[in-house]
Amino acid sequence: MKLYGNQHSACTKTVLLLLAERSAKLDFVPVNLSIGEHKTTGHLARHPFGRVPVLDDGEFVLYESRAILRYLDQVLPGTRLTPSDLRAQACMEQWISVDSCYFTPAAYTIVVQKLFVPAMGGHTDEQLVAQAWSSVRDVYRALEAQLAQTRYLVGDDFTLADLCFVQYTESLVAALGDSALDEFPLLARWRQRIHARPAFSLAQELAA
Ligand SMILES: N[C@@H](CCC(=O)N[C@@H](CS)C(=O)NCC(=O)O)C(=O)O
């Protein structure tokens, strides 16, 4: 199996974190976004929207990180990060949908405005940041309420739902500073629990 990705991309790092959680190895093929490798004919044949990551499992090619997570979670040997109980599985899907619809788009806006725009010599649009942060806070309030009841987002075990929130939470802390999570103490403790998982450091090494 091969994973086409970029070590700075949050979506790629999410898949690497799953691989680390499952102690799985595959060939990592770096795609250099800064020189537009993701827009070449070769890469567009793998991903028609010209993005990363892309999984290549022989004759089967799959893009979209959450689809890749679900596929790998089923095909890799070892303990799955998808609960077998149907209601728990439905809750996991609920959080994954919250991530893709409300969280990642808002978090991405903040990361672009706070980190990428200044790095390219531009000026951060603070109004855009404030709007996006308001959306992120709505999501974090929901996560905080959930974490008042359970250790992870779907009960006591780490699932794909937690995994989906890890990388952009790291990116938000990088963009806004450690105090970003001050008003969400249970989320901050959840983040510490994630950092303490051996897979977290392993995934950082895989992306290095
Ligand atoms: N929904 C997609 C998002 C893919 C995506 O936007 N990837 C970013 C890196 S995190 C990318 O390839 N950006 C390059 C570009 O937009 O040109 C997924 O989860 O895989």
Side-chain angles (χ1 to χ4, degrees):
M1 262 197 268
K2 284 188 227 168
L3 182 71
Y4 292 84
N6 180 279
Q7 69 271 35
H8 304 298
S9 129
C11 314
T12 301
K13 289 199 266 186
T14 298
V15 175
L16 293 176
L17 182 55
L18 172 75
L19 292 167
E21 281 285 344
R22 300 295 293 276
S23 307
K25 285 210 175 81
L26 44 60
D27 294 330
F28 184 69
V29 185
V31 177
N32 191 334
L33 303 182
S34 58
I35 59 164
E37 245 177 11
H38 53 312
K39 304 297 181 194
T40 58
T41 317
H43 190 74
L44 285 168
R46 287 185 284 269
H47 194 316
F49 301 97
R51 308 282 174 101
V52 289
V54 178
L55 180 76
D56 180 334
D57 188 7
E59 73 292 349
F60 180 58
V61 176
L62 186 66
Y63 57 87
E64 286 299 314
S65 58
R66 294 169 193 83
I68 296 171
L69 291 181
R70 289 178 176 102
Y71 175 72
L72 287 176
D73 196 43
Q74 297 299 316
V75 300
L76 291 174
T79 308
R80 290 183 181 157
L81 298 180
T82 301
S84 48
D85 175 77
L86 277 186
R87 287 188 176 181
Q89 219 176 86
C91 288
M92 183 188 88
E93 291 299 337
Q94 168 198 278
W95 288 121
I96 294 177
S97 189
V98 168
D99 162 43
S100 69
C101 296
Y102 315 131
F103 179 66
T104 288
Y108 180 74
T109 299
I110 295 173
V111 170
V112 167
Q113 287 300 322
K114 285 290 200 186
L115 301 178
F116 299 167
V117 167
M120 291 186 302
H123 293 290
T124 298
D125 182 335
E126 293 295 349
Q127 204 180 335
L128 264 186
V129 172
Q131 277 166 6
W133 179 236
S134 165
S135 303
V136 167
R137 284 176 76 216
D138 287 344
V139 173
Y140 276 171
R141 270 194 284 268
L143 297 188
E144 189 77 0
Q146 179 62 50
L147 292 169
Q149 299 171 53
T150 51
R151 189 172 159 77
Y152 287 106
L153 292 178
V154 186
D156 285 337
D157 297 321
F158 180 85
T159 68
L160 295 183
D162 300 282
L163 205 148
C164 285
F165 285 93
V166 171
Q167 298 304 338
Y168 267 110
T169 294
E170 291 307 310
S171 302
L172 282 172
V173 170
L176 300 172
D178 282 338
S179 61
L181 299 187
D182 280 359
E183 61 181 302
F184 307 105
L186 299 175
L187 185 68
R189 294 227 309 264
W190 167 89
R191 180 171 173 243
Q192 283 166 5
R193 280 199 287 280
I194 306 266
H195 284 189
R197 297 177 74 82
F200 183 79
S201 351
L202 194 63
Q204 309 297 314
E205 285 165 29
L206 289 175

Short mmCIF file of all heavy atoms in Angstrom, two decimals, residues 43-76:
data_model
loop_
_atom_site.label_atom_id
_atom_site.label_comp_id
_atom_site.label_asym_id
_atom_site.label_seq_id
_atom_site.Cartn_x
_atom_site.Cartn_y
_atom_site.Cartn_z
N HIS A 43 -0.85 13.27 -10.71
CA HIS A 43 -1.56 13.25 -9.43
C HIS A 43 -3.07 13.44 -9.64
O HIS A 43 -3.88 12.82 -8.93
CB HIS A 43 -1.01 14.31 -8.47
CG HIS A 43 -1.56 14.14 -7.09
ND1 HIS A 43 -1.17 13.12 -6.25
CD2 HIS A 43 -2.53 14.82 -6.40
CE1 HIS A 43 -1.85 13.18 -5.11
NE2 HIS A 43 -2.68 14.21 -5.18
N LEU A 44 -3.44 14.25 -10.64
CA LEU A 44 -4.88 14.45 -10.91
C LEU A 44 -5.57 13.14 -11.34
O LEU A 44 -6.77 12.97 -11.13
CB LEU A 44 -5.08 15.53 -11.98
CG LEU A 44 -4.85 16.97 -11.47
CD1 LEU A 44 -4.76 17.95 -12.65
CD2 LEU A 44 -5.95 17.40 -10.51
N ALA A 45 -4.77 12.22 -11.89
CA ALA A 45 -5.34 10.92 -12.25
C ALA A 45 -5.70 10.14 -10.98
O ALA A 45 -6.61 9.31 -10.98
CB ALA A 45 -4.35 10.13 -13.09
N ARG A 46 -4.96 10.43 -9.90
CA ARG A 46 -5.26 9.75 -8.62
C ARG A 46 -6.32 10.49 -7.83
O ARG A 46 -7.09 9.90 -7.09
CB ARG A 46 -3.98 9.71 -7.74
CG ARG A 46 -2.93 8.75 -8.18
CD ARG A 46 -1.78 8.72 -7.18
NE ARG A 46 -0.92 9.87 -7.29
CZ ARG A 46 0.17 9.94 -8.05
NH1 ARG A 46 0.52 8.89 -8.77
NH2 ARG A 46 0.88 11.03 -8.10
N HIS A 47 -6.31 11.83 -7.97
CA HIS A 47 -7.22 12.67 -7.17
C HIS A 47 -7.74 13.79 -8.07
O HIS A 47 -7.04 14.77 -8.32
CB HIS A 47 -6.45 13.26 -5.97
CG HIS A 47 -7.34 13.85 -4.91
ND1 HIS A 47 -8.42 14.65 -5.20
CD2 HIS A 47 -7.29 13.74 -3.56
CE1 HIS A 47 -9.01 15.01 -4.07
NE2 HIS A 47 -8.35 14.47 -3.06
N PRO A 48 -8.97 13.66 -8.59
CA PRO A 48 -9.45 14.63 -9.58
C PRO A 48 -9.55 16.06 -9.05
O PRO A 48 -9.65 17.00 -9.83
CB PRO A 48 -10.84 14.09 -9.96
CG PRO A 48 -11.20 13.12 -8.90
CD PRO A 48 -9.94 12.60 -8.30
N PHE A 49 -9.52 16.23 -7.70
CA PHE A 49 -9.59 17.59 -7.14
C PHE A 49 -8.19 18.13 -6.82
O PHE A 49 -8.05 19.21 -6.26
CB PHE A 49 -10.48 17.60 -5.89
CG PHE A 49 -11.88 17.13 -6.19
CD1 PHE A 49 -12.25 15.81 -5.95
CD2 PHE A 49 -12.81 17.98 -6.76
CE1 PHE A 49 -13.53 15.35 -6.24
CE2 PHE A 49 -14.10 17.53 -7.07
CZ PHE A 49 -14.45 16.21 -6.81
N GLY A 50 -7.15 17.32 -7.13
CA GLY A 50 -5.77 17.78 -6.94
C GLY A 50 -5.42 18.07 -5.50
O GLY A 50 -4.88 19.14 -5.18
N ARG A 51 -5.73 17.13 -4.62
CA ARG A 51 -5.44 17.30 -3.18
C ARG A 51 -4.70 16.07 -2.67
O ARG A 51 -4.59 15.06 -3.36
CB ARG A 51 -6.74 17.45 -2.37
CG ARG A 51 -7.72 18.50 -2.86
CD ARG A 51 -7.27 19.88 -2.46
NE ARG A 51 -8.12 20.90 -3.04
CZ ARG A 51 -9.09 21.53 -2.38
NH1 ARG A 51 -9.33 21.25 -1.13
NH2 ARG A 51 -9.81 22.46 -2.97
N VAL A 52 -4.29 16.16 -1.43
CA VAL A 52 -3.76 15.00 -0.70
C VAL A 52 -4.59 14.84 0.57
O VAL A 52 -5.18 15.83 1.04
CB VAL A 52 -2.26 15.19 -0.34
CG1 VAL A 52 -1.40 15.12 -1.57
CG2 VAL A 52 -2.01 16.47 0.47
N PRO A 53 -4.65 13.62 1.13
CA PRO A 53 -3.92 12.41 0.77
C PRO A 53 -4.70 11.54 -0.21
O PRO A 53 -5.89 11.72 -0.42
CB PRO A 53 -3.84 11.69 2.13
CG PRO A 53 -5.11 12.07 2.83
CD PRO A 53 -5.40 13.49 2.41
N VAL A 54 -3.93 10.58 -0.79
CA VAL A 54 -4.52 9.54 -1.64
C VAL A 54 -3.91 8.20 -1.20
O VAL A 54 -2.69 8.11 -1.02
CB VAL A 54 -4.19 9.77 -3.13
CG1 VAL A 54 -4.78 8.65 -3.98
CG2 VAL A 54 -4.71 11.11 -3.62
N LEU A 55 -4.77 7.20 -1.06
CA LEU A 55 -4.29 5.86 -0.73
C LEU A 55 -4.30 5.02 -2.00
O LEU A 55 -5.27 5.08 -2.76
CB LEU A 55 -5.22 5.23 0.31
CG LEU A 55 -4.84 3.81 0.76
CD1 LEU A 55 -3.65 3.86 1.71
CD2 LEU A 55 -6.02 3.11 1.42
N ASP A 56 -3.22 4.28 -2.21
CA ASP A 56 -3.13 3.37 -3.35
C ASP A 56 -2.95 1.97 -2.80
O ASP A 56 -1.91 1.64 -2.23
CB ASP A 56 -1.92 3.81 -4.21
CG ASP A 56 -1.75 2.92 -5.43
OD1 ASP A 56 -2.18 1.75 -5.40
OD2 ASP A 56 -1.17 3.41 -6.43
N ASP A 57 -4.00 1.16 -2.91
CA ASP A 57 -3.93 -0.22 -2.42
C ASP A 57 -4.02 -1.15 -3.62
O ASP A 57 -5.07 -1.74 -3.90
CB ASP A 57 -5.10 -0.46 -1.44
CG ASP A 57 -4.98 -1.81 -0.75
OD1 ASP A 57 -3.96 -2.49 -0.93
OD2 ASP A 57 -5.93 -2.19 -0.03
N GLY A 58 -2.92 -1.21 -4.37
CA GLY A 58 -2.92 -2.04 -5.58
C GLY A 58 -3.78 -1.40 -6.65
O GLY A 58 -3.57 -0.27 -7.05
N GLU A 59 -4.79 -2.15 -7.09
CA GLU A 59 -5.65 -1.61 -8.16
C GLU A 59 -6.73 -0.67 -7.59
O GLU A 59 -7.50 -0.07 -8.34
CB GLU A 59 -6.29 -2.75 -8.99
CG GLU A 59 -7.39 -3.54 -8.33
CD GLU A 59 -6.93 -4.40 -7.15
OE1 GLU A 59 -5.72 -4.58 -6.94
OE2 GLU A 59 -7.81 -4.88 -6.43
N PHE A 60 -6.73 -0.54 -6.26
CA PHE A 60 -7.77 0.29 -5.61
C PHE A 60 -7.17 1.62 -5.13
O PHE A 60 -6.24 1.63 -4.32
CB PHE A 60 -8.35 -0.49 -4.42
CG PHE A 60 -9.43 0.24 -3.67
CD1 PHE A 60 -10.59 0.67 -4.31
CD2 PHE A 60 -9.29 0.51 -2.32
CE1 PHE A 60 -11.58 1.35 -3.62
CE2 PHE A 60 -10.27 1.19 -1.62
CZ PHE A 60 -11.42 1.61 -2.26
N VAL A 61 -7.69 2.72 -5.67
CA VAL A 61 -7.17 4.05 -5.30
C VAL A 61 -8.30 4.82 -4.63
O VAL A 61 -9.43 4.84 -5.13
CB VAL A 61 -6.64 4.80 -6.55
CG1 VAL A 61 -6.20 6.22 -6.18
CG2 VAL A 61 -5.48 4.04 -7.16
N LEU A 62 -7.98 5.44 -3.48
CA LEU A 62 -9.03 6.10 -2.70
C LEU A 62 -8.55 7.46 -2.22
O LEU A 62 -7.43 7.59 -1.71
CB LEU A 62 -9.34 5.21 -1.48
CG LEU A 62 -10.50 5.61 -0.57
CD1 LEU A 62 -11.84 5.51 -1.29
CD2 LEU A 62 -10.51 4.72 0.68
N TYR A 63 -9.37 8.50 -2.39
CA TYR A 63 -9.04 9.81 -1.83
C TYR A 63 -10.13 10.23 -0.86
O TYR A 63 -11.15 9.56 -0.75
CB TYR A 63 -8.81 10.86 -2.93
CG TYR A 63 -9.95 11.05 -3.90
CD1 TYR A 63 -10.99 11.94 -3.61
CD2 TYR A 63 -9.99 10.37 -5.11
CE1 TYR A 63 -12.04 12.13 -4.51
CE2 TYR A 63 -11.04 10.56 -6.00
CZ TYR A 63 -12.04 11.43 -5.69
OH TYR A 63 -13.08 11.61 -6.59
N GLU A 64 -9.88 11.32 -0.14
CA GLU A 64 -10.70 11.85 0.98
C GLU A 64 -10.26 11.12 2.26
O GLU A 64 -10.50 9.92 2.44
CB GLU A 64 -12.20 11.71 0.77
CG GLU A 64 -12.76 12.71 -0.24
CD GLU A 64 -12.56 14.17 0.17
OE1 GLU A 64 -12.81 14.53 1.32
OE2 GLU A 64 -12.12 14.96 -0.70
N SER A 65 -9.66 11.92 3.16
CA SER A 65 -9.03 11.33 4.35
C SER A 65 -10.01 10.51 5.20
O SER A 65 -9.65 9.44 5.69
CB SER A 65 -8.39 12.42 5.20
OG SER A 65 -9.34 13.38 5.60
N ARG A 66 -11.26 10.98 5.33
CA ARG A 66 -12.18 10.23 6.21
C ARG A 66 -12.57 8.90 5.59
O ARG A 66 -12.78 7.91 6.30
CB ARG A 66 -13.41 11.08 6.54
CG ARG A 66 -13.04 12.31 7.38
CD ARG A 66 -14.19 13.30 7.49
NE ARG A 66 -13.74 14.57 8.02
CZ ARG A 66 -13.18 15.54 7.29
NH1 ARG A 66 -13.00 15.40 5.99
NH2 ARG A 66 -12.78 16.67 7.86
N ALA A 67 -12.67 8.85 4.25
CA ALA A 67 -12.94 7.57 3.56
C ALA A 67 -11.74 6.64 3.73
O ALA A 67 -11.90 5.44 3.97
CB ALA A 67 -13.22 7.83 2.08
N ILE A 68 -10.54 7.22 3.63
CA ILE A 68 -9.32 6.42 3.80
C ILE A 68 -9.26 5.84 5.22
O ILE A 68 -8.94 4.67 5.43
CB ILE A 68 -8.06 7.28 3.48
CG1 ILE A 68 -8.06 7.69 2.01
CG2 ILE A 68 -6.78 6.52 3.83
CD1 ILE A 68 -6.99 8.70 1.62
N LEU A 69 -9.61 6.69 6.21
CA LEU A 69 -9.60 6.22 7.61
C LEU A 69 -10.52 5.02 7.78
O LEU A 69 -10.16 4.00 8.37
CB LEU A 69 -10.10 7.32 8.56
CG LEU A 69 -9.25 8.56 8.77
CD1 LEU A 69 -9.94 9.49 9.76
CD2 LEU A 69 -7.87 8.19 9.24
N ARG A 70 -11.74 5.16 7.26
CA ARG A 70 -12.73 4.09 7.45
C ARG A 70 -12.26 2.81 6.76
O ARG A 70 -12.40 1.72 7.30
CB ARG A 70 -14.09 4.52 6.90
CG ARG A 70 -14.76 5.60 7.74
CD ARG A 70 -16.05 5.99 7.07
NE ARG A 70 -16.83 6.94 7.83
CZ ARG A 70 -16.90 8.24 7.56
NH1 ARG A 70 -16.19 8.76 6.58
NH2 ARG A 70 -17.67 9.04 8.29
N TYR A 71 -11.68 2.96 5.55
CA TYR A 71 -11.21 1.78 4.81
C TYR A 71 -10.07 1.10 5.56
O TYR A 71 -10.11 -0.10 5.82
CB TYR A 71 -10.77 2.22 3.40
CG TYR A 71 -10.15 1.11 2.59
CD1 TYR A 71 -10.93 0.08 2.06
CD2 TYR A 71 -8.76 1.09 2.34
CE1 TYR A 71 -10.35 -0.95 1.32
CE2 TYR A 71 -8.19 0.07 1.59
CZ TYR A 71 -8.98 -0.95 1.08
OH TYR A 71 -8.42 -1.97 0.35
N LEU A 72 -9.05 1.90 5.93
CA LEU A 72 -7.88 1.32 6.61
C LEU A 72 -8.29 0.68 7.93
O LEU A 72 -7.77 -0.37 8.31
CB LEU A 72 -6.81 2.39 6.86
CG LEU A 72 -6.03 2.86 5.62
CD1 LEU A 72 -5.07 3.98 6.00
CD2 LEU A 72 -5.27 1.70 4.98
N ASP A 73 -9.22 1.32 8.62
CA ASP A 73 -9.64 0.78 9.92
C ASP A 73 -10.24 -0.62 9.76
O ASP A 73 -10.12 -1.44 10.65
CB ASP A 73 -10.64 1.73 10.59
CG ASP A 73 -10.79 1.41 12.07
OD1 ASP A 73 -9.74 1.16 12.72
OD2 ASP A 73 -11.91 1.38 12.57
N GLN A 74 -10.87 -0.87 8.62
CA GLN A 74 -11.47 -2.20 8.40
C GLN A 74 -10.45 -3.21 7.88
O GLN A 74 -10.53 -4.38 8.23
CB GLN A 74 -12.64 -2.11 7.40
CG GLN A 74 -13.80 -1.24 7.86
CD GLN A 74 -14.45 -1.73 9.15
OE1 GLN A 74 -14.69 -2.92 9.32
NE2 GLN A 74 -14.70 -0.82 10.08
N VAL A 75 -9.51 -2.76 7.04
CA VAL A 75 -8.63 -3.75 6.39
C VAL A 75 -7.36 -4.05 7.18
O VAL A 75 -6.77 -5.11 7.00
CB VAL A 75 -8.25 -3.36 4.93
CG1 VAL A 75 -9.49 -3.24 4.07
CG2 VAL A 75 -7.43 -2.08 4.87
N LEU A 76 -6.94 -3.14 8.05
CA LEU A 76 -5.69 -3.38 8.79
C LEU A 76 -5.93 -4.40 9.90
O LEU A 76 -6.99 -4.42 10.51
CB LEU A 76 -5.16 -2.07 9.40
CG LEU A 76 -4.65 -1.03 8.40
CD1 LEU A 76 -4.30 0.27 9.13
CD2 LEU A 76 -3.44 -1.56 7.64
#
